[in-house]
Amino acid sequence: MTAIRVLLVDDDPLVRAGLSLMMGGADDIEIVGEAADGGEVEALVDRTRPDVVLMDIRMPAVDGLTATESLRRREDAPQVVVLTTFHADEQVLRALRAGAAGFVLKDTPPAEIVAAVRRVAVGDPVLSPTVTRQLMAHAAGTAADTRRTRARARVADLNDREREVAVAVGRGLANADIATELYMSVATVKTHVSRILAKLGLNNRVQIALLAHDAGLLEEPGDR
């Protein structure tokens, strides 16, 4: 089995040491490098070719948001998991919109951080619908109204079946659950997800979920 290559980015050497220790014991994970600032990330990615980057949000020079945006513009972009001390934070939300595959709190139990790395390595997001709603509520207001208008214009490009799949992704369902609920094969679900990503210019399921939230597709009828 090929090991998952992980790059650690955090300005606190103790945090990096702790993460390295907790993941170093996993047979399927290899720590290929460490960085103390977002400005070091691109060069390290070029050199180490990680599958997953664990990225701190707050760093003194180049923050994790800027580094994430830069990484996700690459054709060979690794998956990014944001490290944070907050559940609801505007910077976390911006990182997710930029293409991060999810986030974990720094005080998350070691086994859960390892599980998160494994999940994003195979393309699954690390973000529950409850946390998504919390983040969206944190960013509510006039800006949210503007996002809703724009999001609804974007999802208008989807056909009815694609919209159903987008809503299911936004609800946090796995492909197998979507297939059961919508009476289609898992392969067909994957095809629809790929088409949604291509049509809307998105790069992962987290962004589909956020767009579905922005457009109001996940609200109960009485909430609209």
Side-chain angles (χ1 to χ4, degrees), residues 5 21 25 37 114 130 141 218:
R5 299 171 62 81
L21 182 63
D37 187 78
V114 170
T130 299
L218 305 185

Side-chain angles (χ1 to χ4, degrees), residues 16-59:
R16 296 198 308 273
L19 289 169
S20 182
L21 182 63
M22 76 171 65
M23 287 188 290
D27 294 336
D28 59 338
I29 293 177
E30 178 186 2
I31 305 301
V32 296
E34 297 182 11
D37 187 78
E40 305 170 21
V41 172
E42 290 227 51
L44 269 174
V45 167
D46 287 336
R47 189 161 70 247
T48 63
R49 299 295 176 184
D51 302 302
V52 178
V53 178
L54 281 178
M55 181 85 73
D56 186 21
I57 280 287
R58 291 173 174 81
M59 290 179 283

